Amino acid sequence: MAADQAWSYAFSFPQNFGVLGMRFPPNYMKQVLLLLSICLPLQIHAQVFPDSAVAKGYIQKGDTTIFVFSPKHYNVEWPQQATVTGSFRNWSQDMDDPHWVLGIGADSLWILRVYNPNFDLVPPRAEFKFRINAGQWLQPPAGTPNEKGSNLVFMQHMTLPALKAELRRSGNIWASVKGTSRPLDPAYFRLTDAHGHTIPIATILPNEADNMLIVPATPIDIRRVYYLEIPAQKLKAWCSYEGWFRETYSTKPLGANIADDKSQTVFRLFAPRAENVKLYLYHNPADTEAYRIKDMSVDENGVWESTFEENLAGIYYDFTVHGANDPGNHFYETNPVHISDPYSRVNVESWGKSRVWPKTIPATPLRNGRPPMQDVISYEVHVQDFTDLLPVPENEKGTLPAFTKPGLKNSKGEPVGFDYLDNLGINVVHLMPVQEFLHYPDDDWRASFENDPFMIEQGINLENYQWGYRTSHAFAVENRFRRKGDDYGAEREQFRDLVQAFHNKDMAVIIDLVPNHSAENMDKINYYFHWNAIDKIYHYRTRDLDHIGEYGNEIKFENRPMVQRWLIDQCKHFIEEFGIDGFRIDLAGQVDRQTLIKLREALGPDIIIYGEPWIGSFDPEFEENPSWDWYKHNSPITFFQDETRNALHGPPSTPTDKGKDRGYAGANFHEKENAKKALANRFADDKTPLSGIGYLDIHDNWAMADRYAIRDWDGRYGVDEERLKIAALMLYTSLGPIVTHGGTEMMRSKGVAELKETLKVTKSGTKVYLHGKRDTYNMRKANQFVWENAGKTKKDKGSFCDYDGMYKFWSGLNHFRLSEYGKVFRVAEAVPDGYYRWVETVNPYQLGYIVADKVFVLINTGSEFHDWDNVVLPSGKWRLIGNIKGVDHKNGVKDEKNMMTLEGGKPLHFRLYGPEFKMWVRD
């Protein structure tokens, strides 16, 4: 079909209208437009693009959007491949989708023409980014006119005609029209219910220039679905519940709560649009018949309640939620399922019943108080990864009790597990998710994969191993982490005991929260644990009354006071019932700024909070509201400073070139200036050292052992240990808090995971994606702590690495940073210029710095020796406490005699044989 014929044919398709009046084509229309975009020529000959288009990354020509990428503008070498992704393609990471691959045009530009009539395919204010080669994300260069939160914005100042409508509790409708004229005559409007019945309009009262109050002539049920149209302008909007929901709030305790005197049990469930809620009580988790069923009563704020004058501790329960069969609803009448309690303290896995459980008595506080943010050395670790291979009874492997079991040793007699971590010297244990999360049912999983060779090799043939970034019950502790054979609920006391064990060792405990999406829509499958059935439209961001989001859904905090409260409640719950000390927030960029401000205020100043400033929402209203959307420059919490990671260690994308993809420590001298910014807290978004938290690798990045591998990107067969140590040294001599990936200190490798993706399908039809080494979230063996490596050196048979030396090196760094000497890095306020004094040479592989006149570091990341001449240190005695062999701030380290002790105030000469570093302190 010729392109012009295809365009004509496409225009003959009917158009759909979406929420807020934005035009969204049906799926077949979008597919036609995508087909057209690939049919258009990839090259544009003799096309001259203005500098403004190159800077913005696009130009609009009639109905065609042309994406324009200039490698020169981004200061990158000519790529092998370039693609564009963004909110318009759900931030897909597929580099090979031909619809979005750029071709080579004139003037050394890469271009892609996309047929985009009416902006149906790429809407105004859509955010996008270019990616090159194996998936490297390109950050917009400084000064890019349409940059927002490290993304580019398409047509950021354009507003399409739009209609927005909100139901109010009064039964009236608050509406606004933008981008076109606003009629006030009711005859121009049409109000219908979900089944097409017309509701007459009595009057329309204007408010501001765009806003008006629409008064129906007959009462309407505000729990139902309605649509408002202006037919002459082809605008249609769903009448949202924002006006009602943003004002609905209750302070009543939710969930199942036993009175302090144990004389009463009260059940409460928030379901504002339900018409009825039934509570079912059971004696056993597998019971199919309830021994008691009770209709709950509702208050004016949508809280359903039932009270029993008895102590129901240990009783199991669930609900059915009833309501209208309208679009977007999944009430019992439409979807006849029983649901569990989103506030349950104990749940039988994700799929089962909730259980009434008394409050847990928390661990006693840290005797010296929680570490202030500037002192944080956080150690990120997963319960199952850490305990899977410990020498404990089989029923304790992968459990909370195993995590803190003292006295464990491997076959070499080396301390492992809890004692290993205690000796390491960190002061914050950061646990990856411990809230109840989704596992696929074991029976289906085993029937599908028990004898699958690949799944056996990866250790996942018998169970659906997960990191846990798919929370199903935010107030329950993951019950698979309890000692096997113990009853449901035992995990609560076992988790409290874990916190207590670390508190006894003066280590804080924080947990990883996943509040941005839930387990109810993982892997493109709808589950009905609770919110989907209680009220999907209240709890999630939606478009056309359906879910949006890269991970299946997005939890909605803005205009939802009870969801905002849910986040604060779960944090307080883990503080008050377990005694934990803080939180890491997964993909916090999807939680609105106001909610995070309130969370920070509600928890108090001593609670540790940090999180990821990523990713953008698929909701344009969220993205366009500066009070909600945020990024590093206006972050309400301490954010993951990815620029530090990129400078010192390399970006998270799959490495292909050792000289370029491993940061300054890995000999990419182009990163030298960025490395200096990372050390001295001088990136643009670093207002203070507490603005960001520095790190190198983290759970969903490549393991450092593999990035710095000698061969085949597999650290099991040798690691460039000197450069890995230089990266660690630079992180530990940078300002502000830091977080390390558990196991990096023992060169934990993910080498058993392949580089490619693998797709498996269960017998029930569930697709299981295994992403390989780049993201091992469901690959058990790749993440295990191999405790037999503890204490090993290269002298041991079959060992290619000095695991013992790396562990001792890392331990030395931890103890140094928490010492009196390390105070120069543990600062909360912005430091003056000159706090880091650079000892410069013309050689880009050399870097030296004097910090606060107390710590002196020299680094050579090259492979040849290099010299420093005429270096003058502040007066006093300087003692060598660190080099490639180790770090010991108490006793110093051995080295050449003329470098063990330095005399300040006179010219000095240094030679370092690369890769190498040395560090001195002034006593």
Side-chain angles (χ1 to χ4, degrees):
M1 182 187 296
D4 55 346
Q5 291 175 315
W7 295 350
S8 175
Y9 182 61
F11 275 123
S12 70
F13 285 3
Q15 298 294 305
N16 269 2
F17 295 91
V19 63
L20 309 179
M22 295 183 65
R23 298 167 68 93
F24 295 99
N27 288 337
Y28 56 77
M29 180 63 176
K30 179 166 283 193
Q31 293 301 315
V32 168
L33 295 177
L34 285 170
L35 177 63
L36 293 173
S37 72
I38 193 173
C39 291
L40 293 174
L42 285 177
Q43 294 194 351
I44 302 178
H45 299 287
Q47 173 88 51
V48 178
F49 292 97
D51 291 341
S52 61
V54 175
K56 292 189 299 183
Y58 74 91
I59 190 169
Q60 188 69 23
K61 292 286 188 180
D63 286 340
T64 302
T65 298
I66 307 173
F67 289 104
V68 184
F69 163 59
S70 167
K72 181 179 179 181
H73 184 69
Y74 278 83
N75 194 30
V76 295
E77 295 184 5
W78 191 259
Q80 297 176 335
Q81 180 183 7
T83 188
V84 64
T85 190
S87 56
F88 46 85
R89 56 178 298 212
N90 292 343
W91 289 104
S92 170
Q93 298 192 38
D94 184 354
M95 291 289 294
D96 300 316
D97 185 340
H99 306 101
W100 302 105
V101 173
L102 281 69
I104 302 171
D107 298 328
S108 298
L109 299 176
W110 290 67
I111 59 171
L112 173 68
R113 299 180 69 184
V114 177
Y115 185 56
N116 192 26
N118 303 315
F119 301 101
D120 285 326
L121 196 60
V122 184
R125 299 185 300 281
E127 296 187 22
F128 67 98
K129 252 190 175 81
F130 294 110
R131 302 181 73 196
I132 61 173
N133 299 332
Q136 179 183 349
W137 295 86
L138 298 182
Q139 304 296 323
T144 300
N146 57 323
E147 186 271 342
K148 176 189 174 186
S150 85
N151 295 329
L152 298 170
V153 183
F154 174 69
M155 305 290 283
Q156 63 188 129
H157 301 300
M158 181 178 183
T159 301
L160 292 175
L163 171 65
K164 181 180 178 181
E166 296 179 353
L167 287 168
R168 297 298 172 102
R169 284 195 177 192
S170 62
N172 297 325
I173 298 167
W174 186 259
S176 65
V177 177
K178 293 186 177 180
T180 186
S181 60
R182 177 199 62 183
L184 293 176
D185 185 342
Y188 283 87
F189 289 82
R190 183 167 181 254
L191 178 64
T192 58
D193 65 18
H195 304 285
H197 302 124
T198 300
I199 295 98
I201 297 172
T203 187
I204 297 177
L205 303 172
N207 182 263
E208 297 174 338
D210 299 329
N211 301 328
M212 54 196 158
L213 185 68
I214 296 177
V215 181
T218 57
I220 61 176
D221 183 348
I222 62 171
R223 297 172 296 186
R224 304 295 299 273
V225 171
Y226 299 93
Y227 297 96
L228 182 67
E229 294 178 72
I230 307 178
Q233 296 178 359
K234 297 183 178 180
L235 295 177
K236 181 178 181 180
W238 161 60
C239 298
S240 76
Y241 307 108
E242 304 298 279
W244 166 22
F245 285 168
R246 75 166 60 96
E247 298 172 1
T248 301
Y249 187 74
S250 174
T251 59
K252 291 180 178 179
L254 299 179
N257 293 287
I258 301 170
D260 291 341
D261 64 2
K262 299 181 173 55
S263 64
Q264 189 182 76
T265 305
V266 181
F267 296 83
R268 294 191 184 95
L269 183 75
F270 177 68
R273 290 198 307 123
E275 296 176 1
N276 186 30
V277 175
K278 293 180 182 292
L279 170 67
Y280 302 77
L281 302 182
Y282 308 85
H283 291 297
N284 301 295
D287 288 352
T288 56
E289 297 292 332
Y291 76 83
R292 186 166 184 181
I293 304 173
K294 188 174 182 182
D295 287 318
M296 304 178 78
S297 59
V298 66
D299 69 10
E300 69 278 6
N301 292 314
V303 175
W304 297 79
E305 181 176 82
S306 285
T307 300
F308 296 81
E309 301 301 328
E310 56 183 310
N311 180 356
L312 294 177
I315 291 296
Y316 295 88
Y317 67 102
D318 59 22
F319 306 96
T320 56
V321 181
H322 304 261
N325 182 10
D326 279 355
N329 291 352
H330 299 283
F331 295 127
Y332 189 82
E333 285 64 28
T334 308
N335 186 46
V337 297
H338 285 236
I339 64 161
S340 52
D341 182 358
Y343 269 69
S344 62
R345 286 183 171 85
V346 175
N347 217 77
V348 180
E349 305 252 351
S350 297
W351 311 87
K353 299 175 177 65
S354 304
R355 193 177 195 187
V356 181
W357 204 261
K359 291 180 180 179
T360 304
I361 299 173
T364 56
L366 289 156
R367 59 181 177 271
N368 296 314
R370 295 178 174 114
M373 195 67 190
Q374 64 268 24
D375 287 356
V376 165
I377 303 176
S378 189
Y379 182 90
E380 181 204 48
V381 61
H382 184 263
V383 170
Q384 187 170 356
D385 296 348
F386 191 79
T387 61
D388 243 358
L389 300 181
L390 285 175
V392 295
E394 193 61 34
N395 70 333
E396 291 188 354
K397 291 182 181 293
T399 71
L400 295 161
F403 206 109
T404 54
K405 196 164 190 174
L408 299 178
K409 297 182 185 296
N410 66 7
S411 63
K412 290 180 66 68
E414 292 290 326
V416 296
F418 183 66
D419 294 343
Y420 166 100
L421 202 51
D422 181 28
N423 296 336
L424 184 59
I426 50 95
N427 63 354
V428 177
V429 177
H430 162 170
L431 295 175
M432 290 165 66
V434 298
Q435 295 159 296
E436 184 67 42
F437 57 85
L438 174 66
H439 292 86
Y440 296 119
D442 286 343
D443 291 346
D444 182 33
W445 192 269
R446 290 175 181 171
S448 306
F449 304 126
E450 185 170 7
N451 299 312
D452 184 305
F454 175 81
M455 304 297 267
I456 293 171
E457 179 189 29
Q458 299 301 326
I460 49 176
N461 60 313
L462 299 180
E463 68 166 324
N464 175 219
Y465 163 90
Q466 292 284 341
W467 274 339
Y469 293 96
R470 38 179 65 194
T471 306
S472 62
H473 296 82
F475 294 79
V477 175
E478 169 55 49
N479 66 77
R480 290 199 182 194
F481 287 164
R482 76 185 189 277
R483 183 185 294 107
K484 297 174 181 65
D486 289 353
D487 198 8
Y488 293 111
E491 64 273 5
R492 294 185 68 82
E493 282 68 32
Q494 290 170 12
F495 179 60
R496 186 271 320 283
D497 292 345
L498 177 148
V499 177
Q500 187 65 67
F502 281 113
H503 279 194
N504 292 343
K505 295 291 186 178
D506 206 25
M507 283 186 271
V509 178
I510 70 173
I511 63 171
D512 210 333
L513 297 182
V514 192
N516 53 295
H517 65 276
S518 84
E520 289 198 299
N521 301 88
M522 297 305 299
D523 301 321
K524 299 180 181 179
I525 303 172
N526 289 330
Y527 301 117
Y528 299 92
F529 300 133
H530 39 74
W531 279 355
N532 267 343
I534 292 171
D535 196 344
K536 175 180 72 177
I537 297 169
Y538 184 91
H539 293 94
Y540 296 107
R541 296 181 186 130
T542 59
R543 178 185 298 146
D544 293 341
L545 303 176
D546 205 359
H547 285 292
I548 60 174
E550 183 170 358
Y551 299 100
N553 59 53
E554 292 182 14
I555 292 175
K556 186 174 178 66
F557 299 88
E558 64 284 355
N559 286 340
R560 300 293 190 271
M562 292 298 282
V563 180
Q564 187 178 88
R565 179 191 149 182
W566 168 81
L567 176 58
I568 295 169
D569 281 354
Q570 64 181 281
C571 291
K572 287 186 173 180
H573 174 82
F574 276 87
I575 294 169
E576 294 168 2
E577 295 204 17
F578 299 101
I580 71 158
D581 306 292
F583 307 92
R584 178 262 190 188
I585 304 179
D586 181 66
L587 299 180
Q590 286 198 334
V591 181
D592 77 283
R593 189 167 186 267
Q594 303 307 314
T595 293
L596 292 174
I597 289 172
K598 179 60 180 177
L599 177 70
R600 174 76 276 179
E601 181 270 337
L603 300 186
D606 68 328
I607 293 294
I608 299 165
I609 303 179
Y610 55 84
E612 296 175 306
W614 315 293
I615 57 176
S617 170
F618 285 12
D619 184 350
E621 274 205 281
F622 178 92
E623 291 292 304
E624 293 165 15
N625 189 328
S627 294
W628 295 342
D629 190 30
W630 61 275
Y631 196 56
K632 293 187 292 188
H633 67 280
N634 63 343
S635 177
I637 60 174
T638 297
F639 57 82
F640 271 73
Q641 182 48 286
D642 51 337
E643 292 182 279
T644 292
R645 174 203 65 200
N646 293 346
L648 303 184
H649 156 275
S653 54
T654 299
T656 58
D657 187 325
K658 291 182 179 180
K660 297 177 181 178
D661 298 335
R662 304 190 303 175
Y664 186 70
N668 183 354
F669 61 83
H670 295 292
E671 290 291 342
K672 181 175 181 178
E673 291 305 311
N674 285 332
K676 290 161 66 175
K677 292 178 183 178
L679 289 163
N681 193 235
R682 286 293 186 265
F683 287 117
D685 300 314
D686 289 330
K687 296 180 177 63
T688 76
L690 303 188
S691 296
I693 186 166
Y695 70 107
L696 299 173
D697 61 338
I698 213 72
H699 64 267
D700 52 4
N701 294 170
W702 271 62
M704 280 190 77
D706 298 323
R707 184 173 293 274
Y708 285 80
I710 298 297
R711 63 180 176 88
D712 299 331
W713 308 106
D714 190 335
R716 294 176 296 172
Y717 305 110
V719 173
D720 188 345
E721 297 178 24
E722 290 82 6
R723 289 191 171 92
L724 193 155
K725 288 178 178 179
I726 290 173
L729 178 277
M730 295 182 77
L731 177 67
Y732 275 76
T733 55
S734 66
L735 297 183
I738 60 175
V739 56
T740 63
H741 179 206
T744 301
E745 76 289 341
M746 65 185 297
M747 292 180 285
R748 186 162 65 111
S749 166
K750 299 181 182 180
V752 69
E754 298 179 343
L755 280 170
K756 66 180 183 180
E757 279 202 358
T758 300
L759 171 63
K760 297 287 184 178
V761 182
T762 68
K763 290 187 179 297
S764 64
T766 300
K767 292 183 178 180
V768 179
Y769 296 91
L770 299 123
H771 298 310
K773 196 177 295 187
R774 73 173 178 85
D775 183 9
T776 54
Y777 77 97
N778 57 356
M779 303 181 74
R780 179 180 180 182
K781 193 170 182 179
N783 299 311
Q784 289 173 331
F785 279 65
V786 181
W787 291 113
E788 280 302 299
N789 285 339
K792 276 187 180 180
T793 70
K794 291 181 181 178
K795 295 178 181 180
D796 288 286
K797 184 178 179 180
S799 177
F800 295 89
C801 301
D802 182 8
Y803 298 106
D804 185 58
M806 185 63 74
Y807 173 78
K808 290 175 179 175
F809 176 86
W810 219 280
S811 179
L813 283 176
N814 286 320
H815 288 96
F816 160 69
R817 188 172 173 95
L818 293 177
S819 72
E820 284 295 311
Y821 300 111
K823 281 186 176 180
V824 299
F825 310 110
R826 300 180 348 250
V827 293
E829 302 298 328
V831 298
D833 292 338
Y835 194 83
Y836 278 73
R837 290 169 47 201
W838 307 110
V839 183
E840 298 283 10
T841 74
V842 296
N843 190 314
Y845 293 106
Q846 290 178 275
L847 179 60
Y849 44 100
I850 304 166
V851 187
D853 290 342
K854 294 180 180 179
V855 178
F856 173 43
V857 177
L858 290 179
I859 295 171
N860 175 13
T861 67
S863 300
E864 307 293 336
F865 71 82
H866 295 298
D867 295 334
W868 283 261
D869 292 313
N870 298 316
V871 177
V872 179
L873 298 175
S875 61
K877 296 290 185 181
W878 292 79
R879 184 166 53 91
L880 185 69
I881 61 129
N883 57 21
I884 287 294
K885 297 176 182 177
V887 176
D888 186 342
H889 70 278
K890 292 182 178 179
N891 304 309
V893 295
K894 293 182 179 181
D895 208 296
E896 297 90 342
K897 292 181 179 179
N898 63 338
M899 302 185 78
M900 291 285 291
T901 304
L902 305 177
E903 184 69 40
K906 61 182 182 181
L908 298 169
H909 171 82
F910 300 93
R911 171 171 290 182
L912 266 66
Y913 293 84
E916 188 179 11
F917 82 87
K918 297 186 189 298
M919 178 168 60
W920 295 262
V921 295
R922 187 170 69 155
D923 288 322

